[in-house]
Each structure stands twice: as structure tokens, then as C-alpha cells.
Amino acid sequence: MLDISTMIQCQTVITTFEMTPGTCQDLLDELTEAYAVFISKQPGFISAALHVNDAQTRIANYSQWQRREDFQAMLRTDEMRTRNRVIGGLCKSFEPVMYDVAEVFG
């Protein structure tokens, strides 16, 4: 379960994807399948969520990992490198950025 907290020691990764409305569902399907079949099974994975904007031109992905190295190791696998080539073909751009939770409200 995704629990945003400053008390949890973990690595937060927010990835934004920019695409056209015509490829949004294809990209969402690809990301959903990647999480269900591969990413969620990787060491250090805690949780993730996918968010789509109303115009279907952006997807935001919020994920948490036990350690920065766990996320980086997942990205370096042959399977994820292959998946990222497919994902890259479905969007104009995507960029994962690592964050620390600074404050939480609510």
C-alpha cells in the first residue's frame, strides 16, 4: 500500500510521461503490465500508482523503493531495458526523478 510519510526510510521516484491522447491507453496498458508482471516483483519494490491527466497527454507514476540502489538495479535489467524501449516508442518523453519526502499534509 502506498503510504506517503516523512517517517518511512525509502526512495520515492516520480516519473512523468508525455504522449498524445491516441497513445495514452496503449502506454497505460504497457506500464500496467510492466508493474504487474515484472517491476512489482523486483527486490526493494514497495508500491506504485499511475495517474492520467484529463487530456490524456500525461501519465505520472509515483513509486517507492526500499533503497535507491533497488530502483537503479531494476532499471539495469535486460527486461526493463527492453520494456523501456517499447515505452519510449509510445511517448514523446519520459523521465524518472528520485525524491525524498520533505513534508506530508492530510
Side-chain angles (χ1 to χ4, degrees):
M1 181 170 161
L2 198 61
D3 184 24
I4 303 172
S5 170
T6 57
M7 303 304 290
I8 297 173
Q9 295 294 319
C10 68
Q11 182 65 61
T12 299
V13 181
I14 299 175
T15 306
T16 55
F17 302 83
E18 184 180 350
M19 82 293 296
T20 65
T23 59
C24 181
Q25 188 59 54
D26 293 334
L27 181 56
L28 186 59
D29 290 346
E30 187 66 35
L31 292 168
T32 299
E33 198 263 343
Y35 270 103
V37 172
F38 181 71
I39 299 171
S40 65
K41 313 268 190 286
Q42 297 309 295
F45 176 81
I46 298 172
S47 62
L50 295 168
H51 309 265
V52 180
N53 73 336
D54 287 345
Q56 295 189 336
T57 56
R58 291 190 183 271
I59 293 175
N61 171 220
Y62 182 98
S63 65
Q64 290 184 320
W65 296 81
Q66 290 177 1
R67 302 174 314 127
R68 170 184 293 261
E69 294 81 11
D70 295 328
F71 175 73
Q72 292 170 329
M74 178 276 299
L75 286 180
R76 286 192 296 269
T77 64
D78 289 339
E79 180 160 350
M80 200 63 220
R81 290 172 58 204
T82 299
R83 287 179 180 276
N84 276 338
R85 284 191 286 278
V86 172
I87 289 166
L90 292 170
C91 59
K92 296 176 186 176
S93 66
F94 72 98
E95 180 182 14
V97 180
M98 294 185 195
Y99 295 89
D100 293 320
V101 177
E103 294 293 337
V104 177
F105 305 94

